């Protein structure tokens, strides 16, 4: 799980840099200002999660189920959160109704929040 967390963290970081550059240059002409801001939010949170996963991958030993769930929830939450935002950003360009993805974004965000809360609880439990 440790290696998986580190690999996903590195992949999320790589993709967020690529998508961020793509958004800053190519998408300005394609997306509305509002959709571009949403896209950038997805990129920003994906990078935060990449850093989170890299740090957690080095700090945790992944010996307990809670340590594994900290990683799993962040990986899944980031995927749901950012990917749903990316697709929703392109809904006008693709002329497709993707509003069904709307509820996916907060579910992904909730999984990320739970991961952060579990990490906080882990530190409180192991450090005090």
């Amino acid at each position: 799980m440790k290696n998986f967390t580190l690999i996903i963290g590195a992949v999320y970081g790589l993709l967020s840099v690529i998508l961020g550059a793509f958004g800053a240059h190519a998408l300005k002409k394609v997306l509305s200002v509002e959709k571009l801001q949403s896209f950038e939010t997805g990129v920003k949170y994906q990078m935060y999660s990449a850093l989170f996963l890299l740090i957690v991958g080095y700090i945790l030993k992944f010996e307990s189920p809670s340590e594994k769930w900290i990683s799993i929830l962040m990986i899944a939450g980031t995927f749901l959160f950012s990917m749903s935002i990316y697709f929703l950003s392109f809904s006008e360009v693709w002329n497709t109704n993707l509003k069904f993805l709307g509820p996916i974004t907060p579910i992904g965000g909730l999984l990320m929040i739970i991961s952060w809360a579990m990490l906080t609880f882990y530190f409180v439990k192991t450090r005090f």
Side-chain angles (χ1 to χ4, degrees), residues 5-6 18 27 32 39-40 51-52 57 64 67 79 85 89 109:
T5 298
L6 291 169
I18 291 169
L27 297 182
S32 67
F39 185 87
E40 290 171 353
L51 296 173
F52 175 98
S64 70
E67 290 174 304
F79 182 83
I85 288 178
S89 296

Side-chain angles (χ1 to χ4, degrees), residues 37-118:
Q37 286 175 338
S38 292
F39 185 87
E40 290 171 353
T41 298
V43 170
K44 188 175 9 175
Y45 277 82
Q46 185 173 329
M47 179 55 86
Y48 296 153
S49 297
L51 296 173
F52 175 98
L53 290 168
L54 292 172
I55 292 167
V56 161
Y58 280 107
I59 292 174
L60 301 181
K61 295 177 183 160
F62 296 95
E63 296 171 343
S64 70
S66 64
E67 290 174 304
K68 294 173 186 169
W69 277 105
I70 289 168
S71 176
I72 291 166
L73 291 171
M74 185 58 71
I75 291 168
T78 302
F79 182 83
L80 294 174
F81 182 84
S82 291
M83 291 308 254
S84 63
I85 288 178
Y86 299 150
F87 280 103
L88 286 167
S89 296
F90 279 96
S91 62
E92 291 175 0
V93 175
W94 295 334
N95 199 22
T96 307
N97 184 356
L98 299 175
K99 291 188 181 198
F100 68 92
L101 290 175
I104 301 297
T105 308
I107 291 170
L110 179 61
L111 295 179
M112 294 164 67
I113 291 167
I114 293 169
S115 178
W116 276 105
M118 287 181 71

